[in-house]
Amino acid sequence: MGEKKRFDFTKKDKRTGRKQKVGYLDFEADEEQGKCSLYFYGDIVSSTWDACAIEDKCPQDIADFLGLLEGYEDIDIYFNSGGGDVFAGLAIYNQLKRFGGHKVGYVDGMAASIALVIMFACDELHFATGAQAMIHKPLCIAWGNADDFKKVIEQLDLCEESILDVYEEHVKEGITRDSIKAMMAAETWFNGTELAQYFDVIVDAKAAVAACASDYFSRYVNVPEQGDEMGAKGIVDEVIAELERREAAKAEAKKQDILKDLDLYGI
């Protein structure tokens, strides 16, 4: 029988000197099968100081977790994450990629943005029916002069190429780097069946286990309602319909402004 444990991560409050809990990792070990479980059920952050919820994960969390695994062969890794910090996600991807045991990934609800990159560190991927994935160009917040922004653009382009390098290793035969890059530029959301058309994943006939909450949703453009299996085409249709509604509302508002002006001058 497997033994379930929860490992808490703490940091010391600089003002009081007291330790406070900032996160946890669920560790479920089965000594007979040599297997343990890891859950990405929050955002990906750069450090424990950046964690807003106890489910958030940073590279140090994963390093600590992997340090516990001596003697275990396999890891089951579960995903329900809206993404997060690019460099933190790439670091976690490489940490898991280097780990010698067999890694099986399960997307229970969502693997969006950098969480999808981390997912590809797994040797075998299962995508639950009803779950969602998303790829997009890297985002950031920047300030400064024109030279500063040029450097930011260069860095964002490098990040995009790094992410594309990961995706390109896992695409189906015939899928080009340029086609994936175009989908990133459009911020493309997939259901499991659509994702399997482009990447090597297995779509499981089971329900997604949970909805996903993320601080990064406000930065994305085409976030669908969770539990919706309409897929990328449905999302595009919905976005077009929304744009048409907004244009109609603008036209009506302009019409009302003209009528007010005419009324003002007694016409």
Side-chain angles (χ1 to χ4, degrees):
M1 296 295 292
E3 180 184 0
K4 294 184 178 180
K5 297 180 180 179
R6 174 162 291 183
F7 292 86
D8 292 328
F9 293 99
T10 61
K11 67 181 179 183
K12 183 179 290 187
D13 189 295
K14 294 181 178 180
R15 185 175 59 85
T16 65
R18 296 178 180 176
K19 288 185 177 180
Q20 60 183 118
K21 182 180 175 181
V22 294
Y24 66 85
L25 284 173
D26 285 331
F27 181 88
E28 182 178 355
D30 189 328
E31 294 185 1
E32 293 181 0
Q33 298 183 14
K35 182 180 291 187
C36 60
S37 300
L38 172 64
Y39 294 83
F40 288 94
Y41 266 31
D43 290 337
I44 310 303
V45 296
S46 60
S47 71
T48 55
W49 294 99
D50 300 308
C52 295
I54 59 176
E55 293 83 8
D56 296 346
K57 300 289 191 300
C58 73
Q60 187 59 54
D61 293 337
I62 306 308
D64 293 341
F65 177 79
L66 294 177
L68 302 169
L69 301 188
E70 186 176 357
Y72 293 99
E73 295 294 329
D74 302 331
I75 309 178
D76 286 338
I77 306 177
Y78 300 89
F79 294 88
N80 188 30
S81 173
D85 185 89
V86 171
F87 293 110
L90 289 171
I92 292 172
Y93 166 83
N94 287 312
Q95 287 174 322
L96 293 173
K97 192 75 173 176
R98 285 194 300 268
F99 182 76
H102 187 71
K103 300 170 289 291
V104 181
Y106 299 91
V107 180
D108 289 331
M110 179 178 293
S113 189
I114 201 63
L116 188 67
V117 173
I118 296 173
M119 183 193 78
F120 283 122
C122 298
D123 303 300
E124 179 183 330
L125 295 171
H126 295 263
F127 209 88
T129 300
Q132 300 169 353
M134 184 271 279
I135 61 176
H136 69 142
K137 292 172 72 72
L139 305 171
C140 77
I141 298 173
W143 69 279
N145 59 35
D147 292 336
D148 296 323
F149 277 91
K150 288 178 183 178
K151 292 178 182 178
V152 170
I153 292 171
E154 291 175 1
Q155 188 64 69
L156 286 172
D157 287 341
L158 287 173
C159 287
E160 183 176 359
E161 293 303 313
S162 295
I163 292 171
L164 279 166
D165 288 342
V166 175
Y167 290 158
E168 197 171 19
E169 290 182 359
H170 301 277
V171 294
K172 292 282 185 74
E173 184 176 355
I175 304 300
T176 65
R177 186 183 181 97
D178 285 342
S179 65
I180 299 299
K181 188 171 185 176
M183 286 189 285
M184 289 176 67
E187 188 190 297
T188 304
W189 292 77
F190 307 86
N191 60 28
T193 301
E194 290 173 330
L195 191 70
Q197 294 175 10
Y198 299 96
F199 297 98
D200 293 321
V201 300
I202 300 169
V203 181
D204 292 335
K206 63 179 183 180
V209 300
C212 181
S214 173
D215 289 338
Y216 290 86
F217 285 164
S218 62
R219 306 181 189 183
Y220 304 153
V221 177
N222 300 325
V223 182
E225 291 185 9
Q226 294 181 48
D228 191 343
E229 297 184 47
M230 61 183 172
K233 183 180 183 301
I235 293 169
V236 171
D237 292 342
E238 185 175 277
V239 171
I240 292 174
E242 176 62 24
L243 290 174
E244 290 175 348
R245 286 193 293 269
R246 292 181 184 180
E247 289 301 319
K250 288 179 181 178
E252 179 61 27
K254 187 174 182 179
K255 175 183 175 181
Q256 294 300 322
D257 287 341
I258 293 174
L259 290 174
K260 289 178 181 178
D261 288 341
L262 292 175
D263 185 63
L264 180 64
Y265 291 103
I267 299 175

